[in-house]
Amino acid sequence: ANFVNMKIDIHRALERPQIAHGPMATTCRIGAHDLTVGPGKEVQLMRPATELLGQKGLQQRLRDDGYLYLQQVLPRDLVAAARKAVLAALESSGMVLKGENGKLNPEANCATDQGAVPASLARSPEMLALVESHELKQLMQEILGSESVQTLDHKWLRAVGHGENSGFHTDSVYLNKGSREGLTCWIPLGDVDLRLGGLCVVGRSHCDPSFDKVRQTYSA
């Protein structure tokens, strides 16, 4: 069966790094660097693929770019319910400041520990309603071209503080379970702009010759 990885971002690929859209800003911070955003600049906005839904063009776009940037394809009520449940739990634990709409507590020992979010939160009823939703399954069936689609038991829930980052990496190293018939699905639990932070990918790193060594070693 094909499988789908879940990485759910509570806060917030190389011709050039490309970043998910948000309210426009002239710069964004990636790691310790402030980079210019825009056509022909150091960082470019991801190419939206939402208009290809139902047009049998998603698989080709994925082969071309190595990613699919899809907007407003999941029910907002499910996203909002998941965010509310997760933030309430993290506020109770002290990891998130109360009444600050998801701002990590800088005094908490786990504030910069990306593994600090309890795994049980990713399997809360509200989270499962989102990541196991009919809408997401239908979407992945279209992308993968198969009716046999399932999610992995483990869902990754990440809470990365402002100014922190996950670093560039290849998910297949950790999560492919020996198969190449899988996709990672990043779902932000709320609106994310360039100042808050978002997902940055290296477009075409899956096929560009300059990344041959990376694919043959690190991501083999």
Side-chain angles (χ1 to χ4, degrees):
N2 296 281
F3 65 87
V4 180
N5 280 324
M6 297 295 168
K7 285 198 176 182
I8 307 100
D9 193 344
I10 192 176
H11 278 273
R12 21 160 231 169
L14 172 62
E15 294 172 346
R16 298 176 189 271
Q18 296 171 308
I19 194 164
H21 292 218
M24 282 303 298
T26 56
T27 63
C28 72
R29 176 168 286 264
I30 300 180
H33 305 282
D34 290 312
L35 303 176
T36 306
V37 180
K41 303 298 183 181
E42 297 167 301
V43 178
Q44 300 177 11
L45 296 178
M46 290 184 183
R47 183 160 62 141
T50 313
E51 73 280 0
L52 299 177
L53 284 168
Q55 305 298 317
K56 299 184 178 180
L58 291 176
Q59 292 184 26
Q60 185 59 51
R61 176 68 67 84
L62 181 60
R63 285 192 289 268
D64 291 344
D65 292 351
Y67 70 89
L68 292 171
Y69 176 45
L70 302 170
Q71 298 168 285
Q72 300 181 13
V73 294
L74 299 177
R76 289 188 69 89
D77 60 328
L78 294 183
V79 176
R83 178 182 177 85
K84 182 178 179 180
V86 170
L87 288 183
L90 294 183
E91 284 183 357
S92 296
S93 72
M95 184 176 177
V96 165
L97 295 173
K98 292 186 177 181
E100 293 290 338
N101 195 30
K103 185 177 180 180
L104 293 179
N105 182 358
E107 297 182 0
N109 292 331
C110 57
T112 58
D113 181 358
Q114 296 173 26
V117 179
S120 58
L121 269 183
R123 298 197 61 81
S124 66
E126 295 85 357
M127 283 301 309
L128 289 180
L130 173 63
V131 301
E132 301 282 2
S133 65
H134 173 70
E135 290 83 359
L136 185 57
K137 182 176 181 180
Q138 270 194 325
L139 175 63
M140 291 303 158
Q141 287 173 333
E142 180 177 350
I143 295 173
L144 291 167
S146 172
E147 294 295 315
S148 178
V149 172
Q150 65 185 57
T151 63
L152 296 178
D153 290 337
H154 183 72
K155 279 79 173 173
W156 286 37
L157 182 61
R158 308 178 76 95
V160 181
H162 191 68
E164 301 293 328
N165 65 84
S166 301
F168 282 106
H169 61 277
T170 301
D171 287 339
S172 61
V173 173
Y174 310 97
L175 301 170
N176 68 14
K177 302 297 183 182
S179 171
R180 289 293 183 180
E181 300 300 318
L183 292 176
T184 299
C185 180
W186 285 78
I187 305 173
L189 296 185
D191 296 326
V192 180
D193 63 28
L194 298 185
R195 291 158 295 186
L196 180 61
L199 178 64
C200 185
V201 303
V202 182
R204 297 186 57 78
S205 58
H206 68 302
C207 62
D208 191 291
S210 63
F211 286 86
D212 281 346
K213 185 175 181 179
V214 176
R215 292 192 297 270
Q216 294 166 6
T217 55
Y218 169 70
S219 60

